[in-house]
Amino acid sequence: MNPVAKEFVSARDDEKGVLLLSEFTGAAHELGDALSINPHASEDCARTLAEALTMPVGEQASRMRSMRTVVGHANAFRWAANILADAIAVHAAKHGRSEFGRSAATNRAVASI
């Protein structure tokens, strides 16, 4: 993913600003409230930049709040918990212990991190 984009969103606690991301970045798929651009299409880039520069402050704040929520939930603790839970489920399946597979309760526990 694009940590610079996530750092930008995290740092904007005033909820001002607009994030433009290449449609080719992984972060563009995760941060859906960023404005997406194709860096190879200069006219489209210019239109999107104009949109960003004229975006009302209220819309900027709404988009930034949404992206800050996404970034806040997708943290290192959740990433590590997902990896560990998946490893346990794979190990259990490999040894025929489906009762130790990733359950709905495990998914809820990981989601709460």
Side-chain angles (χ1 to χ4, degrees):
M1 289 297 174
N2 186 343
V4 174
K6 293 179 180 183
E7 289 168 1
F8 172 77
V9 169
S10 295
R12 296 312 312 211
D13 58 358
D14 63 359
E15 299 179 346
K16 293 181 181 175
V18 180
L19 178 62
L20 281 78
L21 288 173
S22 166
E23 63 189 33
F24 304 116
T25 63
H29 300 286
E30 187 177 5
L31 300 174
D33 282 300
L35 296 183
S36 181
I37 61 169
N38 178 341
H40 304 292
S42 58
E43 288 182 22
D44 289 339
C45 284
R47 276 193 290 276
T48 304
L49 183 56
E51 179 184 354
L53 291 170
T54 59
M55 184 177 288
V57 174
E59 184 177 352
Q60 290 179 29
S62 175
R63 287 173 176 264
M64 197 60 69
R65 273 192 302 275
S66 175
M67 289 186 290
R68 287 173 62 82
T69 299
V70 169
V71 170
H73 287 150
N75 60 40
F77 298 110
R78 178 162 298 156
W79 174 78
N82 276 323
I83 288 175
L84 291 172
D86 288 345
I88 290 168
V90 166
H91 178 74
K94 184 176 180 180
H95 295 288
R97 298 182 190 144
S98 61
E99 70 271 14
F100 295 113
R102 194 159 174 184
S103 66
T106 301
N107 287 333
R108 284 192 302 275
V110 168
S112 71
I113 294 175

